[in-house]
Each structure stands twice: as C-alpha cells, then as structure tokens.
Amino acid sequence: MFLEFDKVSFAYPEVLALDCVSFGVTRGEIVGLIGANGAGKTTAILNIIRYLLPKSGRIQMDGRNITQIKNEEFAVSYIPDTAVFYEELTLLEHLHFLKALYPGNRLSVDEMINRLELEDHLHKVPSALSKGTRQKLMIALALLRDYELLIADEPYSGLDPRQIGVFKQILEECRRNHKAVLLSTHLLDMVDGMCDRYIMLHRGQLIALGTKQEIVQQHALGLGSGSTLEQVYLALVEGAV
C-alpha cells in the first residue's frame, strides 16, 4: 500500500471532521473519495498533504510517516478545490515557473498548453481567466510536478464536457504509469465506473470501502448489478442515519 491512512481522527473546534478513518491507496490505481459536502473528504486530503495534522492515528507514504518526509522528497501533487495562484504571474509564467522547479518531469510546458487548450490565455493573469481556465491551469501545474501520488479535490469544477474527457484520459495515464490517484468528489456520476475502489465517508466516518460490487455485497444493500454509484452511496447513508 503506497498511502496508508490509519485510524486518523481530526477535529475542528466544534466539529469532529474525521472519526478513526482508515483506508489506503496503492500505485497504479484510481481510488474515489466519495461523500456529500461536509463528509470529511477535504479534511482527509488536508491531512495527507500535511496542511493539517491528525489529532490521532498516522498517515504513511511508502512505509514512512509523512511527518518525517522532507519537503523535497514528498512526492504528492495536489489539485485543490479552490484555485491558488500568484496574481502577478501570467498563465505561461506559472507553467514555466513550475517546470523550472521540477525539470525532471518529462511533460513539457507546450504539451500541457496543447492538451488543455490553453493557447488563447497564455499572457493573461489569473483574475482575467474564466473559472474553467483557472481549473485547467491548476491541473497543468499539478501534472508538471514530480509526484507518485496525485490528489484531486473536486477537479471537474468549471470544466466543459470535452475537458472532462481529457482529464479522465490523464487519470487513466497516471494509472498506466503506476501512479497512485486519489480522486475526491461529490459528483458521483463523474467517477462511476472509472475508479478501481471507492472510499465512502459520511459525517466524518468511513461507511464503506471497496469496489462498487464489493460494497453492495458486503453491506447487503439489495441493489441490482446495474445500480449507479449514487444509488449505492445513498443506500449506505440511509442505513447510517
């Protein structure tokens, strides 16, 4: 298991956001982190990227506690749910800045520009970009880093159907290249069938883990083989209430 999230709890002043949650992600798989708004998905991610520290439990990457990994060895790339930029830099300057920081990444700036259709926006600053273009830039910046684990938090926000398809292709390539991918979303139709396994959270608790078929069987949900991921999740939530 490349990423091990072991009995992690985290609390904000008035909310227990994660309650003894455990899951893992291996190389060469896409794992969906599923849950409604407030389920604990982003809190789990912020603990993985070390923005937050668990109240209890541990998080390991490649057998090492993440708190003991040096920044330059922390092979995680992150697409946040809210875009973060240098307001003074143009789109093209952002790309070249990241490429200079990670020269070993085989992807080129030109490849990212072409693939994500950024040609018409190269000399614009972030405030002049549409929401969808800002999101495409965030994806490009994440892919230009050196990483073994790609974390994407609500990555489809603002993307048109064509670019959603392009991003799904990129995730498939990550899987083929033996990268680990953690994909967080509440848009269940976007990840139905594309993930190897699913982690399902509800009010800070893990309510299911496995393939869609395994979850249906393990929890005796009584759903047919053609059930959607949304139907599976809603059946679990209703049982957890």
Side-chain angles (χ1 to χ4, degrees), residues 181-197:
V181 177
L182 183 62
L183 176 59
S184 172
T185 186
H186 66 277
L187 302 174
L188 304 191
D189 58 323
M190 292 292 188
V191 295
D192 197 347
M194 73 171 295
C195 296
D196 299 284
R197 294 183 299 117

Side-chain angles (χ1 to χ4, degrees), residues 79-87 126 130-131 133-139 141 153 157:
I79 304 171
D81 60 342
T82 302
V84 180
F85 298 104
Y86 296 102
E87 286 296 340
S130 68
K131 180 179 180 180
T133 303
R134 288 197 298 269
Q135 184 66 5
K136 289 191 289 184
L137 177 55
M138 292 304 297
I139 292 169
L141 295 176
D153 192 2
S157 178

Side-chain angles (χ1 to χ4, degrees), residues 2-197:
F2 181 71
L3 172 70
E4 296 179 75
F5 200 85
D6 185 21
K7 298 179 182 177
V8 172
S9 294
F10 182 87
Y12 297 103
E14 298 181 356
V15 178
L16 179 59
L18 295 172
D19 185 7
C20 200
V21 172
S22 297
F23 61 82
V25 184
T26 65
R27 296 179 186 270
E29 72 169 352
I30 301 172
V31 175
L33 183 58
I34 304 303
N37 291 332
K41 304 186 304 298
T42 296
T43 299
I45 289 171
L46 293 178
N47 275 267
I48 295 170
I49 66 171
R50 307 189 299 191
Y51 184 82
L52 300 174
L53 295 176
K55 176 183 177 182
S56 62
R58 64 177 182 174
I59 305 171
Q60 294 194 121
M61 191 172 301
D62 214 12
R64 302 169 62 191
N65 192 302
I66 61 169
T67 61
Q68 299 174 354
I69 301 175
K70 297 178 180 179
N71 288 338
E72 60 270 22
E73 298 174 350
F74 193 59
V76 177
S77 197
Y78 171 47
I79 304 171
D81 60 342
T82 302
V84 180
F85 298 104
Y86 296 102
E87 286 296 340
E88 300 83 2
L89 298 184
T90 65
L91 185 152
L92 183 60
E93 288 170 338
H94 275 89
L95 296 178
H96 280 297
F97 177 62
L98 256 293
K99 185 60 181 177
L101 290 177
Y102 301 94
N105 189 313
R106 291 180 296 176
L107 293 176
S108 69
V109 168
D110 287 342
E111 182 178 353
M112 285 290 91
I113 291 170
N114 293 333
R115 190 156 194 193
L116 294 172
E117 300 178 331
L118 296 169
E119 297 91 341
D120 295 337
H121 310 285
L122 298 180
H123 303 294
K124 298 177 183 177
V125 295
S127 60
L129 301 175
S130 68
K131 180 179 180 180
T133 303
R134 288 197 298 269
Q135 184 66 5
K136 289 191 289 184
L137 177 55
M138 292 304 297
I139 292 169
L141 295 176
L143 296 175
L144 286 172
R145 295 175 179 267
D146 293 333
Y147 64 92
E148 296 299 324
L149 170 64
L150 176 65
I151 300 176
D153 192 2
E154 302 293 351
Y156 301 114
S157 178
L159 298 183
D160 62 32
R162 174 181 171 83
Q163 288 303 323
I164 288 173
V166 170
F167 184 63
K168 287 183 176 181
Q169 291 174 3
I170 289 171
L171 295 181
E172 293 287 352
E173 291 168 8
C174 288
R175 175 159 52 195
R176 289 198 299 271
N177 291 329
H178 211 52
K179 306 291 187 182
V181 177
L182 183 62
L183 176 59
S184 172
T185 186
H186 66 277
L187 302 174
L188 304 191
D189 58 323
M190 292 292 188
V191 295
D192 197 347
M194 73 171 295
C195 296
D196 299 284
R197 294 183 299 117

